[in-house]
Amino acid sequence: MATNRDRDAVCEGWVVYILLCGDGTLYTGISNDLPRRLRAHDLGRTGARYTRGRGPLRLVYVEDAEDRGTALRREAAIKRLSRHEKSRLALAGARRRKLEGIDPAALRELRRSLPG
């Protein structure tokens, strides 16, 4: 189950998001209804196959997108990044935008995982 209590208030419209999975991996996805999508991931039936069994899932990054096409292109670009680059992106995004729902403990875990 997700550990983010207030993430229903995160944002509206198309977004690109990154989840920190319980096994330490990062999952990138898009949604036009982030609270619904995060609940689907938590339930494990209608969320992405990748996240099933990898809980708890913690939201570490959210980026607004103009439309679905923009979100898909940005998702593809983020998926091409290394884990290190994705972690840096999440940390920079957290400093730039103080969003409800972003898990501070997960961000600390990401920070510790970075070299040097």
Side-chain angles (χ1 to χ4, degrees), residues 41-74:
H41 282 299
D42 286 343
L43 293 174
R45 288 186 220 136
T46 56
R49 220 176 255 162
Y50 183 83
T51 59
R52 292 180 198 164
R54 293 180 192 263
L57 305 172
R58 296 178 289 172
L59 184 65
V60 294
Y61 182 75
V62 178
E63 181 180 314
D64 295 323
E66 288 183 29
D67 54 32
R68 184 173 188 268
T70 304
L72 284 168
R73 286 187 293 278
R74 182 62 176 146

